Amino acid sequence: MDEQGKGRASILWAIGALLTVVGLGLFVNLRDNSARLGALEDAGKAFLKARASGEGTDVCSRMTRIAQSELAAGQGKDSCPQAVEALIAP
């Protein structure tokens, strides 16, 4: 795996770990409220669907501004959508 591939893999692992920690924290806090948990599940599914589509604008709209900036900087891109597209590109 080349350096760029290792960098992409590292960023994807970091995003995955962050989403897992956030998801678990939210789950613990919301487990007794099924309506809120349903909304969280829907948001998670929407994020993953957007990511799978490769549509950078849709993915970034589901991220915080800080996460968008960090992703763009980590990929050396000017914007979050460009960074998402770079991550997904073969």
Side-chain angles (χ1 to χ4, degrees):
M1 185 180 292
D2 64 356
E3 276 301 311
Q4 189 176 21
K6 287 180 183 178
R8 285 183 182 170
S10 295
I11 289 174
L12 287 175
W13 276 105
I15 290 171
L18 178 62
L19 289 174
T20 300
V21 169
V22 169
L24 288 173
L26 289 173
F27 178 76
V28 168
N29 289 324
L30 301 175
R31 68 178 169 217
D32 295 329
N33 189 334
S34 62
R36 283 187 169 175
L37 187 56
L40 177 62
E41 184 178 347
D42 291 345
K45 286 179 181 178
F47 178 83
L48 293 175
K49 183 178 178 182
R51 185 170 161 238
S53 76
E55 187 60 41
T57 303
D58 194 18
V59 173
C60 293
S61 71
R62 299 171 193 285
M63 298 170 67
T64 65
R65 289 183 187 196
I66 292 171
Q68 292 175 18
S69 297
E70 289 179 359
L71 180 61
Q75 289 297 306
K77 300 294 180 183
D78 293 330
S79 69
C80 180
Q82 289 175 349
V84 170
E85 291 169 12
L87 279 173
I88 295 172

